[in-house]
Amino acid sequence: MQLFALTVCGYLMARQKEVAIARLTSAETASTHLKAKLTTTRFFIEQILPETEGLYGAARSSARDLLALSAA
């Protein structure tokens, strides 16, 4: 569930970043909100999104050890 949530959030953040960049480069005034969106997106990508690597590995690992437990 965490892997899925981070993946969806990463996708949504990437879309929001694209919109923010487009608005900042257009004739619209550069707002602090759009600049903050870029900063937030960069933080998410650099600090939070790397967690998916570990979660993916755990999701793909074998359940052999878990299944070896007895039903005591």
Side-chain angles (χ1 to χ4, degrees), residues 1-2 9 21 24 26 28 34-35 41:
M1 291 298 285
Q2 288 178 327
C9 288
I21 289 172
L24 283 171
S26 70
E28 296 179 33
L34 294 174
K35 291 178 183 176
T41 303

Side-chain angles (χ1 to χ4, degrees), residues 2-62:
Q2 288 178 327
L3 177 60
F4 179 73
L6 286 173
T7 302
V8 170
C9 288
Y11 170 76
L12 293 173
M13 295 285 280
R15 293 212 29 197
Q16 291 174 1
K17 181 180 178 180
E18 289 177 359
V19 171
I21 289 172
R23 288 186 179 173
L24 283 171
T25 57
S26 70
E28 296 179 33
T29 59
S31 71
T32 54
H33 171 73
L34 294 174
K35 291 178 183 176
K37 178 55 66 180
L38 295 177
T39 302
T40 304
T41 303
R42 185 172 42 254
F43 174 82
F44 184 84
I45 290 170
E46 292 175 357
Q47 301 294 324
I48 307 298
L49 205 55
E51 291 178 24
T52 58
E53 292 178 21
L55 293 171
Y56 180 76
R60 298 286 299 175
S61 68
S62 172

